[in-house]
Amino acid sequence: MSHLSILPTVFTDLERLVQALCDEGFTVERTTELQGFADDSHAVDVLAFQGSAMPLGWTQRENGAIVMHGDIQRISRQPGLEQRLQRLTRRYALLHAIDQVRLGDMGSVELIVQTH
């Protein structure tokens, strides 16, 4: 028996993102700097790192969208990065769906389940 679930994965809530990061084992700092290539730094709302992996940062734009920042060339060499980001996205989507159910706002939750 397999299940397929499709949940929203657009990051729009910094607090939910922080919770998802912590749930997935990341260490999180708020309103800080992300160190970049050649001693460059970038202000971020959320900074997350896990073990010795390169940190990732997120900022929230005026339109509400949350944008991820990182030295893609360096972090792309980290083993398991893609899987960690996929787990983070799934965790964020699950937390969003749970929040919507708690609020009784089922109209904004899209959940598709297939069973074989």
Side-chain angles (χ1 to χ4, degrees), residues 23 34-36 41 60 62 69 72 78 90 96 99-100 116:
D23 288 352
L34 172 65
Q35 296 300 318
S41 66
Q60 188 160 30
E62 288 182 22
H69 303 276
I72 300 300
Q78 296 178 27
R90 286 193 304 269
H96 173 75
D99 287 347
Q100 295 307 306
H116 298 280

Side-chain angles (χ1 to χ4, degrees), residues 20-38:
L21 285 162
C22 290
D23 288 352
E24 290 299 321
F26 285 85
T27 300
V28 176
E29 295 178 14
R30 298 296 302 265
T31 315
T32 187
E33 298 281 323
L34 172 65
Q35 296 300 318
F37 185 71

Side-chain angles (χ1 to χ4, degrees), residues 46-63:
V46 175
L47 179 72
F49 51 94
Q50 197 174 44
S52 62
M54 297 286 295
L56 298 169
W58 286 266
T59 56
Q60 188 160 30
R61 294 188 174 163
E62 288 182 22
N63 67 0

